[in-house]
Amino acid sequence: MQDQIRTVAVIGCGVIGASWACLFPSRGLNVLIYDPAEGVQKMFERYLQNAWPALAALMPVEGVWAKNYKFIDNLESSLSEADFIQENGPERPEFKQALMETLDQYSRPGVVISSSSSGLPASKFIGRCQKDPSRILRHHDINDPDFYRSLGKKPILLRHEVPGFVANRLQAAINSEAYSLVSRGIVSAEDLDTAVTSGPGLRWALTGPFVTNSLGGGGGPNGFTQRIERLGPAIRAWEEDMLKHRFDWSEESVSVLKEEASKWLDSVDWDGVVGKRDQMLLSLLEVNSRTSKL
């Protein structure tokens, strides 16, 4: 499938859309960008200028590829040029239903329309599509993932629809406990971040929860079972306490959380954080790329 894709339409050029619109040209693809928001083209050009060195570090790129994009004013008349559509519209069901109806109606038959929806399952926004709703997919559960693999991504398969999908649900679970601990005054936001970045976050980047659990249980295929048998009762008690003190999203709790978070976030050197993060992620991706070939 990836051999047939030369032009990608990126619909919506906010943070997520801009990331896709940078990635596609770096892999030699032509990109059509549609976003009616004022000033979006200048914003994207700044974003691309900052992102291009990192993309070039991941994979050899041609300098001229950075110009392989154009902004379009008329969505309907331009969709026929696209071999693949990456949708990144607002996370509002009514809006997304109307947008998907347009994309389905004016794109060529067989062209995949992939949504970057953070939590809405495809069934929530394809109801008004009459032409071919079966090609409208969330890119985690795309039925032919070769195109995303060609971009350096690792698609996963969802066997059933769930709100928030997989990665976002995992992040939500961790964030919920983090918010609870900080809003209850058990730990500062700064120390909470340190606990993750200096602890499990280091391992999670290399081994997921199941392999990490197995290693913690002695390693090998039996390590996971041994860990569950050994630590299961204690973990269950922790979870009962976590549920009892679950972050409740009340106005009072949110207000306390914001205040505590600001004490830490107001002191952060954001330029330094972004630079360090990008450098470390590039190094990690390079290491993962080398070890995956062993």
Side-chain angles (χ1 to χ4, degrees), residues 93-224:
E94 297 80 7
F95 178 92
K96 203 172 283 285
Q97 286 171 11
L99 176 59
M100 286 298 178
E101 182 181 18
T102 298
L103 299 181
D104 178 56
Q105 181 178 352
Y106 290 98
S107 58
R108 301 197 316 271
V111 170
V112 170
I113 303 171
S114 182
S115 174
S116 289
S117 169
S118 297
L120 286 175
S123 61
K124 299 295 184 181
F125 51 73
I126 66 173
R128 289 163 56 177
C129 300
Q130 301 297 317
K131 190 174 180 180
D132 184 9
S134 66
R135 62 187 172 144
I136 301 174
L137 306 162
R138 273 284 290 128
H139 61 259
H140 271 180
D141 55 355
I142 187 167
N143 60 355
D144 186 347
D146 290 343
F147 174 57
Y148 282 108
R149 289 197 180 101
S150 74
L151 299 172
K153 302 298 182 180
K154 294 185 177 180
I156 65 171
L157 174 66
L158 270 68
R159 297 172 180 171
H160 305 283
E161 280 192 342
V162 288
F165 312 107
V166 176
N168 284 342
R169 288 176 72 99
L170 291 172
Q171 291 184 102
I174 295 169
N175 287 339
S176 179
E177 178 61 12
Y179 297 165
S180 173
L181 293 171
V182 170
S183 64
R184 289 160 58 205
I186 293 174
V187 65
S188 70
E190 179 178 4
D191 283 346
L192 190 290
D193 275 357
T194 299
V196 174
T197 59
S198 299
L202 294 173
R203 296 188 289 273
W204 288 340
L206 302 172
T207 56
F210 284 91
V211 172
T212 299
N213 283 183
S214 187
L215 291 172
N222 297 323
F224 182 81

Side-chain angles (χ1 to χ4, degrees), residues 35 37-46 69-71:
D35 192 318
E38 184 177 352
V40 69
Q41 183 168 350
K42 290 184 177 179
M43 181 279 294
F44 172 70
E45 289 170 352
R46 290 194 300 269
Y69 70 90
K70 69 176 180 179
F71 278 78

Side-chain angles (χ1 to χ4, degrees), residues 256-269:
V256 171
L257 178 65
K258 289 179 178 179
E259 181 179 354
E260 290 300 315
S262 294
K263 293 177 183 178
W264 162 225
L265 300 178
D266 288 347
S267 65
V268 171
D269 172 12

